[in-house]
Amino acid sequence: MTVFDDLVGQDQATAVLSRAAAAAGEVIGGGRGAGMTHAWLFTGPPGSGREEAARAFAAALLCPDAGCGHCDQCHQVLIGSHPDLESVRPEGLSYSVKQTRELILRAAGAPTQGRWRVILFEDADRATESAANALLKAIEEPPPRTVWLLCAPAPDDLMITIRSRCRQVTLTTPATEAVAHVLATRDSVPPDLARFAARAAQGHITRARALALDEGARTRREAVLGIPRALTGVGECVAAAERLVKTAEEEAAAATAALNDNETSELRRLYGEGSTGKGLNRGLVRGGAGALKELEDRQKSRATRIKRDSLDSALLELVSYYRDVLAMQFGAAVELANDDLRFDLDQLAKASTPEETLRRIDAIMQCRERLAANVNPQIAVEAMMLALRP
């Protein structure tokens, strides 16, 4: 049992990381910190486990036995409480230069337990240009005991000057059988449901686990994949777009409501709200007005990101649907992600041409690009729905 056992279908990456962790331990023992690769780039498609691989590598670097999986060091890393691991993700749509510079200052500190100071930088592709330039300087001249672990979908998503200074670890989409096996053995999911979830998620482990364990996730998937059948007219297209955007907004609100309340209450408490004493409460709360406004802005940005991610997930579901249609039109001998909807897929495959299917896929991908460019979601999704209409 090691920290790498949870990396599904990533045998090649696991071998590379295991050897590197063992070598890092020898470097520490010989006092040759400069011999360690101080910047790593983990890339792979959504669901391949980029962050999980980076976290497992962090545990292996901090573990005396190169990632045994059962010591206190490994346990603290895996649950996110190790003092020498700094794990960050964008607070909103992107990393700001301010957030990145603050992280760089923290990264410069010495490790507290004698090994490495590890910085796990999730979604590094979301760094703004200024933030990326600040990150580049930190990677070019890292402290001798600091290791940067960057995660991004593809190397091209980062500046060439950053990726050229990183050792790359490429992850792949796990096979359906591998994901289904994990769900059945580790989550006690019935075999048929495990295979359905793994196939529908197209190797995306987190998505597969959600489909297997959450009936609500399966219901939302059915609603999204029912859209192509419902687009019988302009009115239906507009209504479908409105439902999709509204669902994303509701998911974002549900995901952030409790967290926002806790953050706001804690900030107000820190600035003295509820304190006793003449003039004390008023002065401290007024002094925290700027901090409260900054927090509200971050919360709005976070809600926007979650809403966009929810919409993007739905759009990828639609891409998988039309990809299956295209496979049937060409008679390709491939596994259908939505095999449970084979009748609907067959009906659409017979009623349309491959050229029409490709145009629909292009319309979905264009919608994703528009959403990433901050186009109004309702307008972008409505345009897509009209393009999908038979």
Side-chain angles (χ1 to χ4, degrees):
M1 175 67 182
T2 72
V3 293
F4 297 110
D5 290 347
D6 286 338
L7 302 185
V8 181
Q10 308 295 346
D11 295 343
Q12 184 174 358
T14 295
V16 170
L17 296 173
S18 297
R19 289 195 298 268
E26 295 174 1
V27 166
I28 289 289
R32 301 187 305 277
M36 170 64 177
T37 301
H38 283 78
W40 295 72
L41 175 58
F42 293 78
T43 63
S48 58
R50 297 186 299 264
E51 286 77 17
E52 291 79 2
R55 190 172 295 276
F57 185 48
L61 289 176
L62 296 171
C63 171
D65 296 319
C68 63
H70 53 75
C71 69
D72 289 341
Q73 302 281 351
C74 289
H75 178 69
Q76 288 175 1
V77 170
L78 296 179
I79 66 174
S81 64
H82 197 288
D84 289 332
L85 173 65
E86 182 89 26
S87 181
V88 293
R89 62 182 58 186
E91 296 174 345
L93 296 174
S94 61
Y95 285 106
S96 66
V97 65
K98 178 183 177 182
Q99 183 184 6
T100 305
R101 284 173 177 165
E102 290 174 350
L103 173 64
I104 291 170
L105 287 175
R106 297 196 299 273
T112 62
Q113 299 187 7
R115 293 183 64 83
W116 302 101
R117 177 82 168 149
V118 182
I119 312 299
L120 174 50
F121 203 77
E122 300 182 19
D123 299 325
D125 54 304
R126 292 188 175 185
T128 63
E129 183 177 356
S130 298
N133 286 327
L135 178 62
L136 173 61
K137 292 180 180 179
I139 292 177
E140 284 180 327
E141 300 177 1
R145 292 285 189 249
T146 298
V147 180
W148 288 85
L149 309 180
L150 311 182
C151 300
D156 290 344
D157 292 328
L158 297 182
M159 294 167 45
I160 187 171
T161 47
I162 289 181
R163 65 175 186 263
S164 66
R165 289 163 172 78
C166 297
R167 182 174 177 182
Q168 294 186 25
V169 178
T170 303
L171 305 176
T172 59
T173 300
T176 297
E177 293 75 13
V179 176
H181 177 74
V182 168
L183 294 177
T185 56
R186 300 181 190 173
D187 298 295
S188 300
V189 177
D192 290 344
L193 179 58
R195 180 163 181 80
F196 155 77
R199 184 180 63 244
Q202 303 172 74
H204 193 304
I205 301 171
T206 303
R207 174 66 174 160
R209 184 169 282 113
L211 288 172
L213 302 177
D214 183 2
E215 186 175 353
R218 295 194 292 273
T219 301
R220 288 190 293 272
R221 171 183 175 271
E222 291 174 4
V224 170
L225 296 181
I227 287 175
R229 299 192 305 271
L231 303 180
T232 56
V234 174
E236 288 76 11
C237 290
V238 173
E242 184 177 1
R243 286 195 303 271
L244 196 60
V245 173
K246 184 177 180 181
T247 298
E249 291 174 344
E250 291 173 348
E251 289 184 8
T256 59
L259 183 58
N260 288 354
D261 289 343
N262 290 338
E263 289 175 343
T264 302
S265 298
E266 179 63 17
L267 185 63
R268 289 183 179 277
R269 186 189 66 79
L270 289 174
Y271 277 91
E273 185 172 79
S275 302
T276 59
K278 186 176 180 180
L280 182 61
N281 184 44
R282 178 182 300 177
L284 287 178
V285 172
R286 183 181 302 151
L292 185 60
K293 178 64 169 62
E294 184 178 344
L295 174 62
E296 290 173 349
D297 290 342
R298 290 201 307 268
Q299 290 173 342
K300 289 179 182 178
S301 181
R302 180 172 60 199
T304 300
R305 176 175 58 82
I306 294 175
K307 174 184 173 181
R308 181 183 292 176
D309 289 347
S310 177
L311 273 175
D312 194 62
S313 177
L315 296 181
L316 290 176
E317 293 276 14
L318 287 174
V319 168
S320 74
Y321 184 93
Y322 287 108
R323 187 205 63 181
D324 286 349
V325 171
L326 190 65
M328 297 186 75
Q329 288 172 329
F330 281 112
V334 297
E335 181 181 62
L336 301 181
N338 305 289
D339 191 67
D340 53 312
L341 301 174
R342 181 176 286 271
F343 177 79
D344 294 335
L345 297 171
D346 184 60
Q347 291 292 103
L348 183 56
K350 293 177 179 177
S352 60
T353 65
E355 291 78 12
E356 290 172 326
T357 303
L358 286 172
R359 282 197 296 270
R360 287 169 177 147
I361 293 175
D362 286 342
I364 299 171
M365 301 306 290
Q366 186 179 48
C367 181
R368 296 182 69 209
E369 293 175 359
R370 288 171 173 171
L371 291 174
N374 289 322
V375 173
N376 181 284
Q378 185 68 32
I379 295 174
V381 177
E382 281 182 6
M384 179 197 72
M385 294 296 185
L386 291 170
L388 297 181
R389 185 178 53 152

